[in-house]
Amino acid sequence: MSTRVRETLDGVFAAVAATREDTAALLAAPAADGRAPASAGLAALRPGLHDRLARHELVSGIGFVAAPGLLADVPAWLEWWQRGPDGAVRPLLLDLDPEHSAYSDYTHWDWYALPRETGRRAVAGPYVDYLCSDEYGLTLSEPVLADGRFVGVAAADVYLRHFEAAVLPVLQELPVPARLVNARGRVAASTDPAHLAGSLTKGPDFAAVLTGAPDAGPESVHRHGELRLTPCAGTPLVLVTPDR
């Protein structure tokens, strides 16, 4: 079960990891010269981002989100590209001026905060992505480090309808209601009518389950009251089922 969920996300996380590696390498050059990087330099990421959008059908958007203050010429920056309804690849153009934009501080959103706080990759959502698409979706992200210092996140968006189409058949094979939740307890997919996608599962410390056994297999089972919590091997998601 957990292996099949992991396989669904493997391609997306591979795209995120490649973006992380490209970004870290790109930022290493100005750091070695004692210079602060600039937003224009991030344009070198674009061929790789475009290629990943073309090759990974689950990925609807991908890029690097800089830590505030990282770049010399702007206070914040998203080097972000997405595939439109017509299939065309286009940049996300945002006003990040804190005096005019509600999106200027993105550091509190889970797709940014979770990798920064944990040092691990994360799945954020489902949530309505007002920033990029106005669609219900997930964002998969990883921290980007330069000389051991957090400098932002590499991330990719996945429409929830595409993720659910891929994993619901797997959940439906289980003999009990089941749901997949992220580190915050947000439901990413579910066959349990009492816990729909997007709802919040309260009670268990899912982050601790994931941190304690990030690469554990299906045998690594945790229990919380009447719930059975199984980390999905290799992914930041937990399978939640009744403990019976």
Side-chain angles (χ1 to χ4, degrees), residues 1-80:
M1 163 68 200
S2 62
T3 300
R4 292 170 66 184
V5 173
R6 183 194 65 212
E7 290 170 351
T8 299
L9 295 179
D10 271 350
V12 180
F13 270 124
V16 172
T19 302
R20 180 201 68 220
E21 292 167 5
D22 285 356
T23 306
L26 184 65
L27 295 176
D33 296 336
R35 297 179 289 111
S39 58
L42 296 178
L45 297 174
R46 293 174 186 174
L49 298 178
H50 294 182
D51 178 64
R52 286 161 211 144
L53 276 172
R55 288 191 294 111
H56 298 282
E57 60 181 23
L58 276 182
V59 175
S60 61
I62 191 167
F64 168 65
V65 183
L70 173 70
L71 303 176
D73 55 329
V74 289
W77 188 262
L78 284 82
E79 185 61 44
W80 195 265

Side-chain angles (χ1 to χ4, degrees), residues 205-223:
D205 187 344
F206 296 107
V209 171
L210 291 167
T211 302
D215 298 312
E219 71 282 357
S220 178
V221 174
H222 301 248
R223 288 174 172 81

Side-chain angles (χ1 to χ4, degrees), residues 4 12 15 35 40 73 106 138 147 172-173 184 188 191 194 203 209 213 217 225 238:
R4 292 170 66 184
V12 180
R35 297 179 289 111
D73 55 329
Y106 42 70
L138 305 171
D147 290 328
Q172 288 167 344
E173 291 178 5
R184 302 280 200 216
T191 59
V209 171
V238 177

Side-chain angles (χ1 to χ4, degrees), residues 42 44 64 87 105 116 129-130 140 154 160 168 185 189 203 212 240:
L42 296 178
F64 168 65
D105 181 12
R116 180 191 59 197
D129 188 0
Y130 294 114
L140 284 63
L160 184 63
L168 278 179
V240 181

Side-chain angles (χ1 to χ4, degrees), residues 180-203:
L180 293 169
V181 307
N182 68 9
R184 302 280 200 216
R186 188 70 63 183
V187 179
S190 175
T191 59
D192 186 345
H195 298 277
L196 301 179
S199 64
L200 192 64
T201 299
K202 297 181 179 180

Side-chain angles (χ1 to χ4, degrees), residues 71-204:
L71 303 176
D73 55 329
V74 289
W77 188 262
L78 284 82
E79 185 61 44
W80 195 265
W81 291 76
Q82 53 195 10
R83 186 170 50 243
D86 58 355
V89 173
R90 55 177 64 93
L92 175 66
L93 302 176
L94 289 177
D95 178 5
L96 294 176
D97 185 335
E99 294 187 3
H100 305 106
S101 173
Y103 304 119
S104 61
D105 181 12
Y106 42 70
T107 61
H108 62 285
W109 291 352
D110 275 357
W111 50 261
Y112 187 96
L114 280 169
R116 180 191 59 197
E117 293 167 5
T118 68
R120 300 179 183 275
R121 63 188 189 177
V123 173
Y127 64 100
V128 179
D129 188 0
Y130 294 114
L131 188 66
C132 296
S133 64
D134 290 333
E135 283 232 21
Y136 223 33
L138 305 171
T139 301
L140 284 63
S141 55
E142 295 190 15
V144 179
L145 304 180
D147 290 328
R149 178 173 63 97
F150 175 82
V151 293
V153 301
D157 285 338
V158 175
Y159 291 142
L160 184 63
R161 52 190 166 88
H162 294 162
F163 177 72
E164 286 188 312
V167 301
L168 278 179
V170 180
L171 294 180
Q172 288 167 344
E173 291 178 5
L174 297 174
V176 293
R179 58 193 184 274
L180 293 169
V181 307
N182 68 9
R184 302 280 200 216
R186 188 70 63 183
V187 179
S190 175
T191 59
D192 186 345
H195 298 277
L196 301 179
S199 64
L200 192 64
T201 299
K202 297 181 179 180

